[in-house]
């Protein structure tokens, strides 16, 4: 826990008690001074998240001189500030980097760019929000009480991982042959012309296996059942690929390393029907058992889909509450790429800018092509002026 958070947490708990006993004058009077334990701050827009979606939004809003505040979280959803990119090694598919760049280094550049254009960043986790009351919205961390006229939620989604010995970051082979994103890591030299495994039996597993088959010598789909949950078309595609072999009714017991280095060497499998245990040599292992969007902290205030992702209006980042927007993997169950997350962060920033402009000047709206405006998205002019890092005005076409 960060220094000072013990005090802040204690203060937050006592504030809860104050609210509970507010009808009892004497108790409320005694507890009222403890409100000072939380620092009150406010902003036009608050961004919750620390990945490419959050920072793309921050850069656009900073250049528009809206002075956004960003809460990047501290091990929120079990991931370091920066999001899932911090859990990968080399990134080769983000435009602008002809040479591979480490995921952590790319996150550092995102963060520095946000700071350059005036974003104030707090390494704290937003634990509670009040969105139903409308703008200005309220939210809390362990040490701060925040109000904002608009909110962008970009908290991402974490790949689900089985707790199998040898697959963790500290003592296992995570990022040393084990991953949860074939599209991100599958083309690495580590896996080229080598046998790899995919854990799962749904559409995601079939898609990952198909992608890996382009590079690997063999792809084993390891599934604990004797049937697949994937759609028929995805099953047919996987079974028709000569490089893909489905290992029925097996589960991975543990991962082990190579004798000559610290990378993955294979996995130990158990047949769920016979109990037989055997080793399967692999250079790569990919989890493909779904993702968990970081939406629990919302407390059911926003509309979510059946998988827990935030629902946004078509062609928009607007959520079910006006003034609240969602960007990145927290609302994207399909693509889940750093570049698509950054794109939606840009969209959210532009929608927030226009929402705030309309909020300040009701009725001022222009949309040149006459198209429909998405719910919650209040469009302004087709271009705006923004300040560069040295203060000069730069025209930004939207």
């Amino acid at each position: 826990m960060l220094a000072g958070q013990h005090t802040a947490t204690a203060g937050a708990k006592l504030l809860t008690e104050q609210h509970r006993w507010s009808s009892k004058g004497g108790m409320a009077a005694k507890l009222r001074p403890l409100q000072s334990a939380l620092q009150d701050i406010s902003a036009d827009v608050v961004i919750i998240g620390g990945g490419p979606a959050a920072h793309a939004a921050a850069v656009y809003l900073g250049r528009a001189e809206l002075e956004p505040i960003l809460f990047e979280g501290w091990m929120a959803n079990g991931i370091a500030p920066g999001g899932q990119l911090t859990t990968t090694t080399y990134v080769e598919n983000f435009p602008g980097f002809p040479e591979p760049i480490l995921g952590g280094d790319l996150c550092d550049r995102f963060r520095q760019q946000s700071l350059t254009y005036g974003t104030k960043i707090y390494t704290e986790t937003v634990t509670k929000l009040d969105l139903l009351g409308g703008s200005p919205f309220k939210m809390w961390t362990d040490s701060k009480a925040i109000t904002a006229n608009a909110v962008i939620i970009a908290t991402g989604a974490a790949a689900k991982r089985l707790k199998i010995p040898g697959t963790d970051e500290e003592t296992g082979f995570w990022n040393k042959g084990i991953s949860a994103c074939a599209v991100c890591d599958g083309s690495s030299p580590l896996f080229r012309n080598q046998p790899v495994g995919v854990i799962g039996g749904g559409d995601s597993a079939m898609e990952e296996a198909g992608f890996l088959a382009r590079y690997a010598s063999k792809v084993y789909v390891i599934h604990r059942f004797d049937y697949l949950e994937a759609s028929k078309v995805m099953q047919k595609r996987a079974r028709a690929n000569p490089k893909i072999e489905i290992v029925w009714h097996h589960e991975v017991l543990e991962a082990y390393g190579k004798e000559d280095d610290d990378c993955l060497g294979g996995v130990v499998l158990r047949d769920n029907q016979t109990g037989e245990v055997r080793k399967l040599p692999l250079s790569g292992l990919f989890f493909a058992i779904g993702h968990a969007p970081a939406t629990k902290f919302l407390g059911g205030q926003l509309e979510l889909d059946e998988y827990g992702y935030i629902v946004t209006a078509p062609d928009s980042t607007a959520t079910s509450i006006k003034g609240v927007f969602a960007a990145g993997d927290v609302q994207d169950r399909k693509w889940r790429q750093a570049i698509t997350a950054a794109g939606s962060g840009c969209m959210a920033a532009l929608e927030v800018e226009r929402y705030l402009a309309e909020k300040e000047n009701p009725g001022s709206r222009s949309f040149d092509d006459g198209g429909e405006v998405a719910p919650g998205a209040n469009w302004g002019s087709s271009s705006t002026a923004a300040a560069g890092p040295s203060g000069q005005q730069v025209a930004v076409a939207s």
Side-chain angles (χ1 to χ4, degrees):
M1 183 175 288
L2 293 176
Q5 284 189 341
H6 291 287
T7 302
T9 302
K13 290 180 179 178
L14 286 169
L15 284 173
T16 302
E17 291 300 318
Q18 176 186 1
H19 176 75
R20 185 180 302 169
W21 296 100
S22 59
S23 61
K24 300 182 179 182
M27 181 66 71
K30 291 180 180 179
L31 292 176
R32 194 171 294 122
L34 292 173
Q35 288 180 347
S36 60
L38 295 179
Q39 177 188 0
D40 291 320
I41 61 174
S42 61
D44 269 332
V45 55
V46 163
I47 304 166
I48 306 173
H55 285 294
V59 168
Y60 270 77
L61 291 168
R63 294 179 72 247
E65 299 184 330
L66 287 174
E67 300 180 344
I69 290 177
L70 185 150
F71 287 92
E72 63 182 353
W74 175 248
M75 298 308 295
N77 209 31
I79 299 178
Q84 287 198 91
L85 281 177
T86 63
T87 69
T88 191
T89 51
Y90 286 105
V91 177
E92 300 177 321
N93 55 4
F94 201 90
F97 296 91
E99 298 297 326
I101 180 171
L102 288 169
D105 291 344
L106 185 58
C107 294
D108 289 343
R109 295 196 180 201
F110 291 158
R111 193 178 194 275
Q112 185 55 52
Q113 192 171 5
S114 293
L115 290 170
T116 297
Y117 287 98
T119 302
K120 191 171 184 63
I121 300 176
Y122 292 101
T123 308
E124 300 180 33
T125 301
V126 173
T127 56
K128 180 182 175 184
L129 302 91
D130 180 5
L131 304 177
L132 298 179
S135 180
F137 304 102
K138 299 176 183 178
M139 59 213 85
W140 294 265
T141 69
D142 283 347
S143 66
K144 293 178 178 60
I146 311 105
T147 58
N149 292 320
V151 179
I152 295 176
I153 299 170
T155 45
K160 295 179 181 178
R161 292 158 56 179
L162 300 175
K163 293 183 178 180
I164 300 170
T167 63
D168 62 288
E169 291 93 337
E170 290 78 16
T171 60
F173 305 99
W174 185 259
N175 282 334
K176 298 176 182 178
I178 300 179
S179 171
C181 181
V183 175
C184 307
D185 303 324
S187 63
S188 167
L190 188 65
F191 309 123
R192 287 180 182 267
N193 301 312
Q194 299 294 322
V196 301
V198 175
I199 298 178
D203 281 353
S204 294
M206 301 304 106
E207 187 173 351
E208 299 270 276
F211 182 86
L212 290 166
R214 303 177 191 177
Y215 309 99
S217 60
K218 186 79 173 180
V219 180
Y220 296 96
V221 176
I222 304 167
H223 194 41
R224 56 181 174 168
F225 302 124
D226 57 4
Y227 62 89
L228 296 173
E229 297 97 336
S231 60
K232 290 184 178 181
V233 65
M234 294 298 288
Q235 290 188 41
K236 183 178 179 181
R237 200 174 294 169
R239 291 180 176 183
N241 193 316
K243 282 190 175 183
I244 297 176
E245 178 182 333
I246 301 175
V247 183
W248 301 104
H249 49 77
H250 275 73
E251 60 182 306
V252 177
L253 296 182
E254 65 175 293
Y256 61 87
K258 294 179 179 179
E259 294 182 358
D260 55 348
D261 61 32
D262 60 351
C263 292
L264 178 72
V267 296
V268 178
L269 298 179
R270 179 176 62 198
D271 188 317
N272 289 333
Q273 294 186 351
T274 67
E276 178 188 359
V277 175
R278 65 185 176 96
K279 287 186 175 181
L280 178 64
L282 298 173
S283 290
L285 181 66
F286 294 81
F287 289 104
I289 55 176
H291 287 70
T295 53
K296 288 184 179 180
F297 77 109
L298 298 173
Q301 297 179 84
L302 292 179
E303 181 184 354
L304 308 178
D305 68 12
E306 59 182 313
Y307 301 99
Y309 291 81
I310 297 175
V311 174
T312 53
D315 299 319
S316 172
T317 62
T319 70
S320 56
I321 294 181
K322 189 172 183 178
V324 180
F325 302 82
D329 289 8
V330 76
Q331 55 87 50
D332 174 19
R333 187 169 64 88
K334 184 176 182 179
W335 304 112
R336 296 193 302 266
Q337 299 297 302
I339 189 64
T340 55
S344 66
C346 162
M347 291 169 57
L350 294 177
E351 289 189 286
V352 163
E353 185 180 349
R354 290 158 183 169
Y355 164 77
L356 292 174
E358 199 278 334
K359 184 179 175 67
E360 185 176 347
N361 299 291
S364 62
R365 178 174 78 91
S366 66
F367 195 42
D368 295 341
D369 66 4
E372 291 296 322
V373 177
N378 297 276
W379 296 89
S381 61
S382 58
S383 64
T384 185
S390 61
Q392 73 271 24
Q393 293 295 310
V394 183
V396 182
S398 57

